[in-house]
Amino acid sequence: MTRDSHADPAAEIAAWQWRQIVNGATDTAIITTDVRGAVTSWNTGAVNILGWDEAEMLGKSLSRIFAAEDQQAQLAREIEDAISVGKGGGEEGWRLRKDGSRFWAVGELSPIRDGANVVGFIKILRDRTAQRDAEEIIKEERHALEVLNRAGSELALETDLHKLVQIVTDAGVELSRAEFGAFFYNLLNDAGESYTLYTLSGAPIEAFSRFPMPRNTEVFSPTFNGEGIVRSDDITKDPRYGKNAPRQGMPEGHLPVRSYLAVPVVSRTGEVLGGLFFGHAKTGVFTERSERGLAGLAAEAAVAIDNVRLSQAMQREIGERKRAQEALVELNATLEKQVVERTEQLRKNEEALRQSQKMEAVGQLTGGVAHDFNNLLQVIIGNLDTIKRNLPEESARLQRAAKHAMNGAQRAATLTQRLLAFSRRQPLDPKPLDVNVLVNGLSEMVHRTLSETISVETVLGAGVWRIEVDPAELEAAIINLAVNARDAMPNGGRLTIETSNAHIDEAYVAAHSEVVPGQYVAIAVTDTGVGMDAKTVAQAFEPFFTTKAVGKGTGLGLSQVYGFVKQSGGHVKIYSEVGQGTTVKLYLPRIAGEGLTVEESGLLPSPEGAQEETILVLEDDEDVRAYSVDTLRELGYRVIEAHDGPAALRLLEREPRVDLLFTDVVLPGGLTGAQVAAQAKTVRPTLKVLFTTGYARNAIIHHGRLDKGVQLIVKPFSFTELAAKVRDVLDAKAD
């Protein structure tokens, strides 16, 4: 360091002060070297980032931190640049730690001068591994979205089955970063174990054509039987591999496969159309992200293949119809009329089927995003709830801001719930129900919901049968219909809610898909509003379709009603005329037994817990787990926590007392929440279990209904809801 002869000596920084300043940069490596690159000082940040302490590095060449093979040459280049242009390095790249591990870093080498002479260098190095990993994740997600969007667009236009499957296979290779991929069509021989190669990507067709098709072995069986996805970091070490004669694994000359990923392609009818298979010569290539992306691609492929097969079937039908029409051209007018009627009926059936396929595709997409979105909403709503409860009353502005934020988050939660209802993936908790009692109890709420210019009338049928549905969801459906009716009567009118028994016969079923003949209870909601034309009625149940002005409705009200009724095994029908009004009829199946009754709920117990009561919180999302743990501790419970199933089971073995397992349904680590609960019950038979989920798939919910005896709180939940539910489960009598 040069000394300014005019500077105040008292203003200079002492060596110990300079050392303290440099060591204060604990997350930045600040290193000085002599002119040859030998280390002369090594701060605390360098120790933290690189692992060597100062004593180990003093006098040693700085070249040892470079990951390149020519370490000394890399250092020489930086020294040369620092002398000639004032800075060496500056580009990001890999560096080495003491333990030999690599990390991504950025650093510059600057000269230290004494007058005109370079007496050494200072190296500033920062660890950017976390930022690079985040950037790579974003890049991968963007790439996956681009691939899926491009494939979806191409699939929507393609009508050739072979080209369609080739699009899917190519997209799968690009999406998963596999070396090659193949689609094997599920065509069985007489022995029931032969499959047909349909498309190949990333390798010539000769790579497979000289080998026999895969057989129904332990490796291939889960895919061709539609049992689920198979992913292996090294298929040669998989316990299912190499057990079948005569080859005991891959035949001689087969493309090298270590990383393996196979996804079944299953039609909406349950038929396994085939399987997508991807391989790579390296191990550990495929990840959970690859698995999720290919699962979505397989679902798109199934819908597209079904559509093409339907189109081909319709083309054959049209061809046959044309030949029949030519043969009957000489027949009388009565027969001609019958042909016209038959043609129109086929057209309507085709349109109804296409509509069903479109709504099912939206439903699959909705269920896929609901789990992650509800986890995010849980963190947002939970922490807003905490903020609101802890804000001082005099902070009116902050109170209002928190309230507005909570309202927005709850609207998002409601939107997600409606999407799940439409897609028939919401967890229903059906109970035996007297519809007349429910409708009569709702009448006051409906009165309050509607304007004073609308009169409300309830007509309760005599001897109405009992049904088994989720009462809360049925109430929400009726309120939804009442709100729609209100909006259709801007100048006032009359709303009628009517209950009755109904019978759906075979003739009606023949003209309406997804309807089962039998006895039903009908709930009709009728208004005297503006009504709808036939085109609007045909689109009314589609998600996001609305006739209201922009910003006045989400277009999910009727789709939620539709999804709930279908999930409950019922049927819904709209009758409407422009200028005359609209009637929406819900048909819900009659309960099998009339002797069932609904248990009367008693007074809610105190939501607070005793200090000795212990709860194990099992949640993989760190933010959701943190909120749940903090909330339960605030309620007075003793709380322990785990991030996956194996960790939770280890805690159960060590802890002397655990009263309740509060677990997410979908977990990493190979065990679902339901599996953890089952194993925990074998260790602690009296353990209470409360599940939580944003989207439960089929772990504790089957055919849209909660398994018997299962306790569930759906994300996002509030402080009050969690307090009441936990207390309710803890106080419940053991089964």
Side-chain angles (χ1 to χ4, degrees):
M1 181 183 301
T2 60
R3 182 185 299 273
D4 185 350
S5 59
H6 301 288
D8 181 0
E12 290 191 9
I13 299 176
W16 66 269
Q17 292 174 310
W18 176 254
R19 184 72 175 176
Q20 186 172 351
I21 292 170
V22 170
N23 282 333
T26 57
D27 57 356
T28 301
I30 303 175
I31 307 163
T32 61
T33 72
D34 61 16
V35 293
R36 297 184 307 278
V39 174
T40 57
S41 72
W42 187 267
N43 80 325
T44 302
V47 176
N48 293 339
I49 294 175
L50 294 161
W52 290 284
D53 58 32
E54 188 174 34
E56 292 176 296
M57 287 301 295
L58 287 177
K60 301 297 190 300
S61 174
L62 187 61
S63 63
R64 67 168 56 178
I65 73 169
F66 293 106
E69 292 183 5
D70 55 342
Q71 292 177 314
Q72 193 61 45
Q74 175 73 12
L75 177 60
R77 285 194 295 271
E78 288 200 7
I79 289 175
E80 182 180 350
D81 289 344
I83 294 173
S84 60
V85 299
K87 185 180 78 170
E91 66 277 1
E92 295 187 5
W94 293 109
R95 301 291 185 270
L96 285 179
R97 296 188 179 93
K98 177 182 178 180
D99 61 8
S101 62
R102 302 196 310 167
F103 67 100
W104 192 257
V106 61
E108 306 87 22
L109 187 74
S110 303
I112 302 173
R113 298 182 183 274
D114 186 359
N117 298 322
V118 175
V119 297
F121 300 94
I122 182 168
K123 178 75 171 180
I124 308 295
L125 190 71
R126 292 172 292 280
D127 186 349
R128 289 200 74 256
T129 306
Q131 296 92 320
R132 181 179 185 272
D133 290 345
E135 290 165 1
E136 287 297 318
I137 290 173
I138 293 172
K139 181 180 177 181
E140 286 294 324
E141 294 291 350
R142 184 183 298 114
H143 174 261
L145 185 60
E146 290 172 354
V147 172
L148 289 173
N149 284 342
R150 184 176 69 249
S153 300
E154 294 175 355
L155 292 177
L157 299 174
E158 187 56 65
T159 58
D160 183 283
L161 190 57
H162 182 81
K163 292 179 180 178
L164 183 150
V165 178
Q166 186 66 58
I167 290 170
V168 172
T169 311
D170 292 342
V173 168
E174 185 177 357
L175 191 65
S176 65
R177 312 289 189 185
E179 284 187 331
F180 69 89
F183 180 87
F184 284 91
Y185 219 81
N186 205 2
L187 299 176
L188 307 184
N189 62 9
D190 294 338
E193 58 179 13
S194 179
Y195 305 90
T196 300
L197 174 64
Y198 211 75
T199 56
L200 188 65
S201 181
I205 194 70
E206 294 78 16
F208 277 97
S209 59
R210 65 178 181 272
F211 298 120
M213 292 300 102
R215 294 179 297 150
N216 198 11
T217 65
E218 287 189 46
V219 171
F220 295 116
S221 176
T223 307
F224 288 118
N225 292 339
E227 297 168 7
I229 296 174
V230 176
R231 174 166 62 90
S232 177
D233 288 340
D234 187 349
I235 193 62
T236 64
K237 292 182 171 56
D238 193 293
R240 295 167 291 190
Y241 174 81
K243 293 185 176 180
N244 294 82
R247 295 178 178 85
Q248 306 298 331
M250 282 174 279
E252 187 71 24
H254 193 283
L255 290 170
V257 179
R258 299 296 294 276
S259 293
Y260 174 83
L261 180 57
V263 184
V265 179
V266 184
S267 166
R268 64 176 57 83
T269 63
E271 176 191 0
V272 182
L273 303 174
L276 287 163
F277 297 83
F278 301 94
H280 201 288
K282 295 180 180 179
T283 60
V285 171
F286 305 126
T287 64
E288 289 187 10
R289 186 182 298 110
S290 309
E291 191 174 320
R292 290 196 302 271
L294 289 176
L297 182 63
E300 288 190 27
V303 172
I305 292 172
D306 276 351
N307 288 344
V308 169
R309 293 170 75 184
L310 173 64
S311 177
Q312 292 173 343
M314 289 304 302
Q315 290 300 321
R316 290 193 296 270
E317 175 70 16
I318 291 171
E320 293 173 2
R321 188 190 318 131
K322 183 178 180 180
R323 289 190 292 273
Q325 289 172 342
E326 291 172 352
L328 295 173
V329 70
E330 301 298 331
L331 295 180
N332 58 43
T334 302
L335 289 178
E336 291 178 356
K337 181 180 178 181
Q338 292 177 3
V339 171
V340 171
E341 290 175 350
R342 172 62 175 164
T343 302
E344 178 63 18
Q345 184 61 49
L346 287 172
R347 187 192 65 77
K348 290 181 178 179
N349 290 347
E350 179 184 2
E351 183 62 31
L353 186 54
R354 289 186 183 279
Q355 180 74 1
S356 174
Q357 290 170 342
K358 179 168 62 176
M359 297 178 80
E360 177 66 16
V362 175
Q364 290 180 355
L365 177 62
T366 299
V369 301
H371 176 265
D372 290 342
F373 192 57
N374 275 331
N375 266 351
L376 293 174
L377 285 175
Q378 177 60 68
V379 176
I380 294 168
I381 289 177
N383 286 284
L384 281 173
D385 195 8
T386 302
I387 291 171
K388 285 179 63 181
R389 287 185 288 103
N390 289 279
L391 279 175
E393 294 183 2
E394 60 269 23
S395 301
R397 183 169 176 270
L398 293 178
Q399 289 277 6
R400 286 195 304 273
K403 179 180 179 182
H404 293 326
M406 179 66 82
N407 289 341
Q410 288 173 340
R411 287 176 62 190
T414 301
L415 178 63
T416 307
Q417 182 185 16
R418 288 182 173 181
L419 285 169
L420 283 174
F422 157 72
S423 61
R424 309 184 206 179
R425 286 164 170 81
Q426 64 175 338
L428 298 180
D429 190 10
K431 296 179 174 61
L433 183 68
D434 186 326
V435 172
N436 282 350
V437 173
L438 183 140
V439 171
N440 192 49
L442 272 181
S443 59
E444 182 60 28
M445 182 183 297
V446 173
H447 274 286
R448 292 196 304 269
T449 302
L450 307 183
S451 67
E452 295 180 356
T453 60
I454 298 174
S455 62
V456 179
E457 181 181 6
T458 56
V459 180
L460 306 179
V464 173
W465 298 317
R466 294 170 65 82
I467 59 175
E468 187 177 24
V469 296
D470 189 321
E473 292 300 328
L474 179 56
E475 289 181 358
I478 295 174
I479 293 296
N480 258 327
L481 295 177
V483 170
N484 275 1
R486 177 198 65 192
D487 296 340
M489 297 184 288
N491 300 320
R494 183 175 68 257
L495 176 73
T496 304
I497 305 176
E498 183 178 4
T499 64
S500 62
N501 294 329
H503 181 78
I504 295 181
D505 58 19
E506 298 287 351
Y508 185 91
V509 170
H512 297 80
S513 60
E514 297 187 343
V515 182
V516 178
Q519 294 177 323
Y520 291 77
V521 171
I523 304 173
V525 180
T526 304
D527 64 64
T528 58
V530 295
M532 295 180 281
D533 57 25
K535 182 179 179 181
T536 304
V537 170
Q539 295 179 274
F541 292 127
E542 292 186 9
F544 306 112
F545 174 79
T546 179
T547 57
K548 300 174 185 176
V550 176
K552 297 297 184 181
T554 63
L556 288 173
L558 281 178
S559 64
Q560 180 184 13
V561 174
Y562 177 90
F564 158 68
V565 173
K566 288 295 184 181
Q567 192 174 348
S568 300
H571 174 57
V572 57
K573 182 71 174 176
I574 298 178
Y575 306 88
S576 187
E577 291 186 24
V578 176
Q580 300 300 314
T582 300
T583 295
V584 181
K585 276 194 173 183
L586 313 182
Y587 295 87
L588 296 165
R590 179 184 183 182
I591 197 171
E594 291 292 325
L596 299 175
T597 59
V598 182
E599 293 181 3
E600 294 292 329
S601 59
L603 295 175
L604 289 175
S606 170
E608 295 182 355
Q611 183 63 36
E612 68 272 15
E613 289 181 303
T614 302
I615 298 176
L616 170 55
V617 175
L618 173 53
E619 169 63 61
D620 63 299
D621 188 294
E622 293 183 4
D623 293 331
V624 176
R625 185 172 70 247
Y627 169 74
S628 301
V629 169
D630 290 345
T631 299
L632 292 169
R633 284 174 176 161
E634 184 177 342
L635 288 167
Y637 298 101
R638 177 176 173 264
V639 183
I640 54 177
E641 56 184 292
H643 69 284
D644 63 14
L649 293 172
R650 289 193 296 270
L651 282 174
L652 281 171
E653 291 176 356
R654 293 199 304 265
E655 287 293 325
R657 173 175 179 175
V658 178
D659 301 280
L660 174 68
L661 171 63
F662 179 42
T663 176
D664 193 6
V665 175
V666 182
L667 293 169
L671 293 175
T672 67
Q675 291 169 331
V676 173
Q679 293 189 32
K681 285 276 193 178
T682 63
V683 179
R684 298 174 184 262
T686 60
L687 180 69
K688 305 289 183 65
V689 180
L690 173 59
F691 292 98
T692 183
T693 185
Y695 171 52
R697 300 181 184 174
N698 295 318
I700 59 171
I701 299 172
H702 295 85
H703 308 293
R705 301 184 176 199
L706 280 175
D707 293 344
K708 185 176 180 181
V710 169
Q711 295 290 340
L712 174 70
I713 182 170
V714 178
K715 298 175 185 175
F717 48 78
S718 67
F719 176 93
T720 304
E721 290 169 341
L722 180 60
K725 189 65 177 179
V726 167
R727 191 68 263 165
D728 184 46
V729 174
L730 283 171
D731 291 342
K733 294 180 179 179
D735 293 337

